[in-house]
Amino acid sequence: FLQYADEQNKDFINEEGLERFFQDLGIELSDILTLIVAWQFGAETFGEFSKEEFIEGFKSLRCESTRDLKNKLPSLKAELKDDRCFREFYQFIFNYVKGPDTKVLDLNMAVELWNVVLKDRFKFLDLWTSFLKERHNKAISKDTWNLLLEFSKHINATMTNYDDEGAWPVLIDDFVEWATPKISSVDKK
Amino acid sequence: YQRRVRGSFKRQLNERPSSPVKRSKTESKKRKLEESEEQPKKKLLKTISTSKVKIAMKTNNSNQNKPVKKLTIKAFKVLPKLADNYSEETWKKLQEAIQAVQKSERVGTSLEELYKTVENLCDHKMSDMLYQKLQSECQKHVEGQLYLLLERKTATNITFLSLVNNSWSSHCEQMLLIRSIFLYLDRKYALPNSSVKSIWDMGLDLYRVHILMNDDVKSKTIAGMLELIEIERRGETVDKGLLKNLVRMFCSLQMYCEYFEKRFLDATELFYVQESDVKLRDSKVAEYLLHVEKRIEQEGERVLHYLDSITRKPLITVLEKVSLQNSIDALITKGFDELMDENRISDLARMYQLFNRVNGLKKMKDAWNAYIKKRGSELVNDKEKDKTMVQDLLQFKARLDNLLKDAFQKNDDFTYALKEGFEYFINVRQNAPAEFIAKFVDSKLRVGKNKGTSDEQIESLLDQVMAVFRFINGKDVFEAFYKKDLAKRLLLEKSASIDAEKAMISKLKTECGANFTNKLEGMFKDIDLSKDIMTSFKEDLKSDIDLTVSVLTTGYWPPYTPVDIKLPIEMMEHQEAFKQFYLSKYNGRKLVWQNSLGHCNLRAHYPKGVKQLSVSLFQAIVLMLFNDSEELTYQEIVESSGLDDSKGELKRTLQSLSCGKFKLISKEPSKAPVMEGDKFRFNTTFTAKLVRLQIDSIQMKETVAENQKTKENVFQDRQYQVDAAIVRIMKTRKKLTHTLLISELYNQLKFPIKPADLKKRIESLIERDYLERDSENNNTYNYLA
């Protein structure tokens, strides 16, 4: 821990230390594994680890050294194949990245996160992000974030199984309305 | 005898001979004898020599010494014997007589004698033989008649009918005569014997079996009759008497229902099927219905004139089925809307009555409902007609009410359909009808535009408005606009009549409950209270300030934003004095001056005349600046008046003073609109006809911004109500699915709202941690305490 700890505050690893930590683990900063590790460690604030989190994290993963952790990474990634696990992870990320001061997540951040986390899991991801940029241009609420996962699991390829009178958030209602003609035109092509 | 004869007929035929029986003298005497046999105690004179009776005579004698004479007449003990060939000889006579009757010739022997011979024969046990002989004689004759009928080659069926008619009439007459000759036989032999038909019945039987059941005769007769009927249906006159007789013939012979009626109904159906087809195609719905009505009447008359009454019901049923029942849909589709548009009351009434006969009212009611929805929606949605919407709605409703009363007999289903239709279309375009109705009522309650209308007219107009208002779902929009306009009327003293205002309030109270009108009533109270306060203020001050203050209780009145302006010193002093006075009377209250609502009377000394100006406070302040300067720039006015122009208030004021009808100040450049570089001068050339001028109409007008703001307030308020409702519901239920929550909200909320808007409020509450989504099920919400 001390290897990576901040100069000023020896109880925390800050961004710079975090970068080095991940480097040693062989993870790129843009890799989803950075988030997975943060999740497993129960990190509270984006971009830093507390001493307790760090130590408890290693303990709970039964690793004694960085190398142990490095070896464990593939299995951690594989864990996410379980739906339940992934859901927990997904919901964690929102709170983690947005931070404790605000209730919403900045749009650009959200888009970046989605591109990492929902890649290959959400068939309309690109359509979704273009919709948001074109129509929404506001921060993302927790409800929207969480429900997007359900939506990605539920919606079919032609968006025909969507019930707009159901409990889906209004933003997703709007998305379906906006995207449906675009999908059918693609089909026609 | 007559009575007995009728009795026997009832047993067999339920029919009487068509011509009344003429009684001969012998018969009337017979009747008397009848009575005597039933009363054996009384002894009367018998004229026939079959028996003798005792007659007891009493003579009234004043001389009681002379003995009373008694005459006794005794019956013979032995019946006189008949001659041996009596029966043959008598039969010959009878036969001659019968044949004479049948040939319509004069009978040789006297009828009395014939009667006697019949009596003799019967008394001597020869009834049987006599009857048989009579029957065979009649039969022979009837068979001969058939031959005659068929032998004559008639050109048409119709001419054949006359022949049949004649034959039948003759037969009836003859049988009657024969029967009267053989009356004794009938009475003594035929009637008591149930196996033997009465003479009349026997005659009918013969006629039926031998003539009318003959296929040729039967088919020709019926065909002829149907032809005649068709001719009459096509509009020409025919011999109704002939038809009547023939129908009666069929009835007497018990062949009416099975043979005639059946074919008649079939022919009727065919005729009307063809006619309806053509008429439906070629004529308009109104004409068609009129025609059907006429036909129904005609067929009814036909039954009266010559058919049997038993045919009435099936005949009308066939007619109705073919002309109406089968074409209900076509008639409605083709013409209902048109009749409605043209307000053809009598035609619609006819349609209603005719359809009522054939169970077509449900479809008509559906068409009525659809029409109301269609035209109503058009009315409400046409944005170009917004100005006359309320007037149009009132006329539409009045027209529909009339139709309901005059054409549809206030039918319950139709009444309900009207209500449902009206409620549907008036809410198709949300919020607009409510707003316009409020404005309409405002225009009727304001001074000026209603000089011609009496109080009663206004009252009845308001009643009509209320009837339409009832259907609106979003009444809070109405309330907001009504309140705003009422406030203006009260504060600027523009109400035409306080009585009318109060009447309207009580109508609203009846319609929407006291909650709705509490605040409105509060406004009236404030005005009255303010008058009292002003009286005591002026007394207290002991001087006459020309200031009137209205104290408005916040909450009763529409929300106003205070506007700060620089008042002249005198005004400020007066205001301060009042404020002190008021606060000394009422503790713990806060007073905020609403300058936008104030208005003034100014005396302006123009070179061409002194004028009394009625102006708004803002206008007054701007005008009074010119007491100190001849010319002012826009900027200078801004500074001196303190009127900020963030909402265009100053520009509007200046415009009303310099570019309107009365140019109290002149503007450079003079064209509207007011721009920031403009200069203003006191208009020395100003002139007007009247001394008193109203320049303050600016305050009564509603700006677009004002309108928007009122609506937004309503929507904002609705959002609060929705939030409160959601929290209330979730607090009670703790856990609820999305669909159930939505439906519960619709139950509770009294204004229209889209499900998407409800969703937005739910999401907002989730974000504010009043609710959460259930972790297991996205569709369910949990209450967060």
Side-chain angles (χ1 to χ4, degrees):
Chain A
F1 175 76
L2 288 168
Q3 238 189 345
Y4 303 104
D6 182 37
E7 295 290 317
Q8 270 77 34
N9 188 348
K10 295 276 174 182
D11 283 331
F12 281 90
I13 302 180
N14 65 2
E15 279 169 26
E16 187 258 321
L18 217 50
E19 231 184 283
R20 278 188 285 128
F21 178 55
F22 286 135
Q23 239 175 16
D24 290 348
L25 285 176
I27 314 176
E28 290 283 336
L29 278 182
S30 57
D31 194 329
I32 193 175
L33 279 165
T34 57
L35 296 167
I36 298 180
V37 169
W39 173 49
Q40 292 288 2
F41 279 30
E44 226 182 79
T45 320
F46 187 48
E48 64 181 44
F49 282 157
S50 76
K51 188 174 188 181
E52 215 176 300
E53 288 164 1
F54 194 82
I55 295 176
E56 292 304 315
F58 266 90
K59 262 199 205 163
S60 69
L61 289 175
R62 285 185 238 270
C63 297
E64 296 212 343
S65 68
T66 318
R67 195 177 318 142
D68 282 348
L69 185 53
K70 190 171 178 179
N71 290 334
K72 206 145 194 217
L73 290 179
S75 75
L76 287 183
K77 203 165 181 182
E79 255 181 52
L80 288 186
K81 289 206 179 115
D82 173 43
D83 263 351
R84 265 216 164 168
C85 239
F86 182 78
R87 197 159 128 231
E88 257 181 64
F89 167 65
Y90 175 83
Q91 289 185 354
F92 162 82
I93 297 177
F94 181 82
N95 285 323
Y96 176 61
V97 176
K98 81 164 164 63
D101 302 327
T102 144
K103 279 197 161 191
V104 291
L105 180 60
D106 170 64
L107 181 60
N108 289 323
M109 273 307 268
V111 167
E112 271 187 49
L113 276 179
W114 273 321
N115 278 326
V116 169
V117 157
L118 284 186
K119 187 165 84 151
D120 300 331
R121 283 182 187 254
F122 182 24
K123 43 178 130 30
F124 298 117
L125 183 57
D126 293 328
L127 221 53
W128 170 249
T129 41
S130 4
F131 165 73
L132 288 175
K133 290 204 180 112
E134 197 182 299
R135 288 294 193 83
H136 189 55
N137 271 327
K138 284 182 265 186
I140 300 291
S141 70
K142 182 171 179 183
D143 198 45
T144 311
W145 174 271
N146 287 348
L147 273 258
L148 188 68
L149 180 62
E150 306 306 317
F151 178 72
S152 70
K153 287 196 268 188
H154 168 87
I155 197 73
N156 67 8
T158 47
M159 284 200 176
T160 44
N161 65 341
Y162 187 74
D163 175 19
D164 65 355
E165 297 199 354
W168 298 107
V170 176
L171 186 58
I172 298 188
D173 287 346
D174 292 343
F175 169 62
V176 172
E177 204 184 307
W178 175 89
T180 315
K182 294 190 196 271
I183 297 176
S184 49
S185 65
V186 165
D187 275 350
K188 281 178 190 162
K189 280 183 194 163
Chain B
Y1 190 79
Q2 273 305 98
R3 255 179 286 142
R4 279 247 184 124
V5 168
R6 267 187 224 127
S8 78
F9 276 5
K10 261 189 196 151
R11 238 185 16 241
Q12 291 172 33
L13 264 185
N14 194 27
E15 192 45 65
R16 293 166 225 185
S18 48
S19 46
V21 176
K22 283 189 190 153
R23 294 183 194 181
S24 58
K25 282 184 192 166
T26 44
E27 294 195 7
S28 53
K29 282 180 191 166
K30 286 261 176 218
R31 203 151 160 236
K32 275 196 183 166
L33 289 170
E34 216 36 64
E35 287 165 19
S36 79
E37 289 192 352
E38 289 169 31
Q39 297 163 46
K41 286 182 188 173
K42 281 192 190 163
K43 290 177 182 167
L44 298 172
L45 202 61
K46 265 192 181 174
T47 57
I48 311 302
S49 56
T50 47
S51 60
K52 293 188 179 170
V53 298
K54 284 189 185 176
I55 300 174
M57 266 189 351
K58 261 194 179 176
T59 48
N60 230 344
N61 232 332
S62 50
N63 196 344
Q64 284 191 332
N65 289 327
K66 285 191 181 168
V68 178
K69 270 192 179 172
K70 269 192 181 177
L71 256 184
T72 335
I73 305 170
K74 286 190 186 145
F76 287 138
K77 287 197 178 135
V78 180
L79 236 52
K81 259 195 174 168
L82 286 179
D84 282 332
N85 59 348
Y86 183 72
S87 60
E88 284 155 23
E89 281 186 21
T90 42
W91 174 247
K92 249 193 228 154
K93 278 196 210 153
L94 285 169
Q95 193 179 38
E96 270 170 32
I98 292 172
Q99 285 171 357
V101 167
Q102 286 170 342
K103 286 183 211 154
S104 305
E105 284 168 5
R106 201 174 154 282
V107 179
T109 337
S110 88
L111 290 176
E112 164 125 16
E113 202 184 314
L114 292 171
Y115 185 91
K116 251 199 264 182
T117 49
V118 170
E119 200 183 330
N120 288 339
L121 286 171
C122 287
D123 281 344
H124 290 269
K125 304 193 200 315
M126 286 184 255
S127 319
D128 206 17
M129 172 220 65
L130 184 58
Y131 188 91
Q132 299 295 340
K133 287 198 167 153
L134 173 61
Q135 184 168 16
S136 66
E137 205 50 49
C138 291
Q139 184 165 335
K140 236 191 307 176
H141 174 77
V142 166
E143 283 167 350
Q145 285 300 300
L146 173 68
Y147 181 72
L148 284 174
L149 269 182
L150 290 180
E151 181 204 43
R152 293 266 299 275
K153 300 281 178 200
T154 45
T156 60
N157 287 335
I158 293 175
T159 36
F160 185 73
L161 290 180
S162 318
L163 294 179
V164 175
N165 189 30
N166 290 339
S167 134
W168 166 254
S169 309
S170 315
H171 171 85
C172 288
E173 275 171 30
Q174 290 158 13
M175 281 314 297
L176 276 176
L177 200 45
I178 291 175
R179 186 189 65 173
S180 50
I181 295 173
F182 286 80
L183 200 56
Y184 197 81
L185 175 66
D186 218 9
R187 186 164 59 87
K188 278 284 186 181
Y189 172 69
L191 257 49
N193 244 321
S194 55
S195 55
V196 177
K197 291 207 180 74
S198 77
I199 294 179
W200 176 255
D201 288 345
M202 179 250 285
L204 288 182
D205 218 34
L206 288 173
Y207 198 86
R208 171 180 45 236
V209 165
H210 293 277
I211 294 193
L212 206 51
M213 280 303 269
N214 174 288
D215 282 331
D216 270 339
V217 174
K218 186 169 52 168
S219 57
K220 265 184 159 182
T221 315
I222 293 180
M225 288 164 80
L226 293 180
E227 270 176 42
L228 271 186
I229 292 175
E230 183 164 330
I231 290 175
E232 192 184 40
R233 280 179 176 152
R234 290 202 194 284
E236 292 176 33
T237 16
V238 297
D239 187 350
K240 294 205 230 295
L242 174 61
L243 279 168
K244 188 167 179 169
N245 282 344
L246 291 170
V247 166
R248 293 295 176 85
M249 171 181 78
F250 273 90
C251 288
S252 309
L253 299 178
Q254 296 189 301
M255 291 171 69
Y256 179 76
C257 289
E258 199 181 323
Y259 296 97
F260 175 73
E261 194 190 38
K262 231 186 251 172
R263 290 205 41 205
F264 168 71
L265 290 174
D266 287 341
T268 306
E269 189 165 344
L270 197 62
F271 179 81
Y272 282 117
V273 162
Q274 285 174 354
E275 189 186 71
S276 315
D277 255 351
V278 171
K279 264 236 144 30
L280 199 56
R281 208 180 43 222
D282 293 342
S283 35
K284 294 198 146 186
V285 169
E287 285 165 17
Y288 181 81
L289 291 173
L290 190 58
H291 176 81
V292 171
E293 195 181 57
K294 251 195 290 179
R295 280 302 194 196
I296 292 181
E297 213 181 298
Q298 283 171 9
E299 292 297 331
E301 278 176 15
R302 182 159 291 117
V303 172
L304 282 176
H305 289 161
Y306 48 81
L307 297 173
D308 189 274
S309 61
I310 201 179
T311 307
R312 186 190 171 82
K313 193 151 179 248
L315 172 59
I316 302 290
T317 312
V318 163
L319 175 56
E320 285 172 357
K321 182 181 87 168
V322 165
S323 324
L324 290 174
Q325 195 160 25
N326 295 343
S327 337
I328 292 177
D329 288 329
L331 285 168
I332 287 183
T333 325
K334 185 171 171 188
F336 183 79
D337 279 2
E338 197 183 307
L339 291 177
M340 288 292 300
D341 278 337
E342 293 173 19
N343 213 34
R344 305 261 282 269
I345 299 183
S346 56
D347 288 324
L348 286 165
R350 182 170 302 117
M351 185 189 255
Y352 179 83
Q353 282 152 21
L354 289 175
F355 277 23
N356 197 8
R357 290 163 169 259
V358 292
N359 266 337
L361 282 186
K362 182 172 178 300
K363 293 202 175 156
M364 197 173 171
K365 174 203 68 155
D366 289 340
W368 158 253
N369 180 286
Y371 175 84
I372 293 174
K373 284 183 178 158
K374 188 164 69 167
R375 291 282 178 258
S377 303
E378 282 168 12
L379 215 160
V380 161
N381 278 327
D382 188 351
K383 299 217 167 129
E384 292 179 15
K385 291 210 179 139
D386 275 354
K387 293 223 164 99
T388 54
M389 186 199 280
V390 181
Q391 203 61 291
D392 293 339
L393 276 176
L394 292 180
Q395 279 172 4
F396 188 49
K397 176 104 192 347
R399 188 162 79 85
L400 294 175
D401 283 339
N402 269 341
L403 281 169
L404 194 55
K405 186 180 66 163
D406 294 334
F408 303 137
Q409 302 172 10
K410 294 199 184 172
N411 178 302
D412 282 341
D413 289 333
F414 278 69
T415 310
Y416 180 77
L418 169 58
K419 289 197 176 128
E420 195 263 324
F422 223 86
E423 185 174 346
Y424 171 84
F425 80 73
I426 210 173
N427 291 304
V428 149
R429 182 175 163 198
Q430 297 191 353
N431 306 322
E435 183 191 331
F436 296 145
I437 289 182
K439 292 212 170 82
F440 181 81
V441 176
D442 173 61
S443 73
K444 294 299 168 198
L445 292 174
R446 245 204 251 180
V447 288
K449 295 190 184 172
N450 303 306
K451 283 190 181 140
T453 27
S454 72
D455 278 346
E456 282 132 15
Q457 281 174 321
I458 296 223
E459 175 113 23
S460 97
L461 194 57
L462 292 178
D463 279 331
Q464 288 178 46
V465 169
M466 288 313 289
V468 168
F469 174 69
R470 201 163 284 153
F471 295 115
I472 294 187
N473 281 342
K475 293 186 167 83
D476 49 358
V477 173
F478 172 86
E479 187 187 357
F481 279 101
Y482 187 78
K483 204 159 136 178
K484 180 173 71 70
D485 291 337
L486 174 64
K488 278 191 181 163
R489 289 199 300 276
L490 289 176
L491 293 175
L492 300 175
E493 292 170 337
K494 297 280 184 191
S495 290
S497 131
I498 288 290
D499 283 340
E501 298 277 359
K502 297 258 169 101
M504 185 64 193
I505 301 282
S506 73
K507 286 188 215 296
L508 284 172
K509 197 169 185 175
T510 322
E511 195 56 47
C512 308
N515 268 339
F516 196 84
T517 48
N518 273 342
K519 295 183 188 156
L520 303 173
E521 286 175 335
M523 287 159 77
F524 283 95
K525 280 195 205 123
D526 276 350
I527 296 287
D528 287 337
L529 204 58
S530 298
K531 288 198 184 122
D532 292 339
I533 293 178
M534 280 320 294
T535 345
S536 51
F537 174 60
K538 287 189 177 162
E539 269 175 25
D540 197 65
L541 225 47
K542 291 181 179 53
S543 67
D544 225 0
I545 326 180
D546 217 348
L547 169 70
T548 312
V549 178
S550 302
V551 182
L552 316 177
T553 313
T554 321
Y556 288 162
W557 298 76
Y560 299 113
T561 10
V563 179
D564 266 329
I565 50 175
K566 290 192 182 148
L567 291 170
I569 298 183
E570 303 91 339
M571 286 191 191
M572 297 269 295
E573 284 174 359
H574 288 332
Q575 275 188 195
E576 230 2 79
F578 178 82
K579 192 168 170 185
Q580 293 304 328
F581 171 78
Y582 185 83
L583 290 175
S584 70
K585 284 211 149 195
Y586 298 98
N587 269 338
R589 293 189 183 181
K590 186 172 167 214
L591 284 181
V592 176
W593 295 101
Q594 293 287 359
N595 294 319
S596 59
L597 300 172
H599 62 279
C600 303
N601 285 333
L602 293 181
R603 201 177 311 132
H605 297 265
Y606 282 96
K608 292 201 176 167
V610 178
K611 300 288 174 199
Q612 300 250 23
L613 306 172
S614 198
V615 288
S616 74
L617 185 55
F618 294 167
Q619 287 170 323
I621 294 197
V622 169
L623 284 174
M624 287 182 65
L625 291 177
F626 289 91
N627 277 339
D628 301 319
S629 334
E630 279 283 329
E631 183 181 290
L632 289 167
T633 65
Y634 180 85
Q635 284 306 325
E636 286 169 330
I637 296 179
V638 168
E639 272 180 47
S640 314
S641 69
L643 244 185
D644 93 275
D645 204 34
S646 54
K647 294 189 179 142
E649 204 57 62
L650 179 59
K651 288 207 178 92
R652 272 205 328 144
T653 310
L654 283 170
Q655 196 153 321
S656 69
L657 294 172
S658 60
C659 309
K661 187 172 168 197
F662 301 112
K663 295 184 174 45
L664 298 170
I665 53 180
S666 52
K667 181 168 102 78
E668 200 185 310
S670 58
K671 269 198 179 168
V674 169
M675 307 293 272
E676 291 185 10
D678 290 347
K679 291 197 196 136
F680 298 90
R681 282 181 150 261
F682 176 73
N683 186 2
T684 45
T685 61
F686 177 72
T687 173
K689 270 191 233 157
L690 300 169
V691 173
R692 288 217 170 131
L693 302 171
Q694 299 267 20
I695 322 278
D696 58 355
S697 56
I698 184 182
Q699 277 179 309
M700 284 300 280
K701 274 202 204 123
E702 182 191 76
T703 58
V704 171
E706 208 181 335
N707 185 298
Q708 269 306 102
K709 184 148 181 293
T710 310
K711 283 188 194 153
E712 272 168 28
N713 282 342
V714 173
F715 298 147
Q716 185 67 22
D717 199 61
R718 282 182 183 176
Q719 273 193 355
Y720 294 142
Q721 288 186 51
V722 172
D723 286 356
I726 295 176
V727 172
R728 194 171 50 233
I729 294 170
M730 289 307 296
K731 190 167 179 183
T732 329
R733 310 288 217 102
K734 304 285 186 223
K735 192 179 181 118
L736 206 55
T737 62
H738 178 84
T739 11
L740 283 179
L741 178 58
I742 298 285
S743 74
E744 190 57 40
L745 281 169
Y746 275 119
N747 271 343
Q748 290 195 16
L749 296 172
K750 295 205 175 94
F751 45 80
I753 187 163
K754 297 188 205 109
D757 292 331
L758 286 176
K759 265 209 223 181
K760 286 197 186 123
R761 297 321 303 157
I762 294 176
E763 280 173 36
S764 155
L765 287 170
I766 292 179
E767 221 158 298
R768 289 181 277 159
D769 293 327
Y770 281 91
L771 324 166
E772 64 172 7
R773 279 187 206 267
D774 189 83
S775 48
E776 300 293 310
N777 193 344
N778 288 338
N779 258 336
T780 311
Y781 303 107
N782 294 327
Y783 177 67
L784 290 175

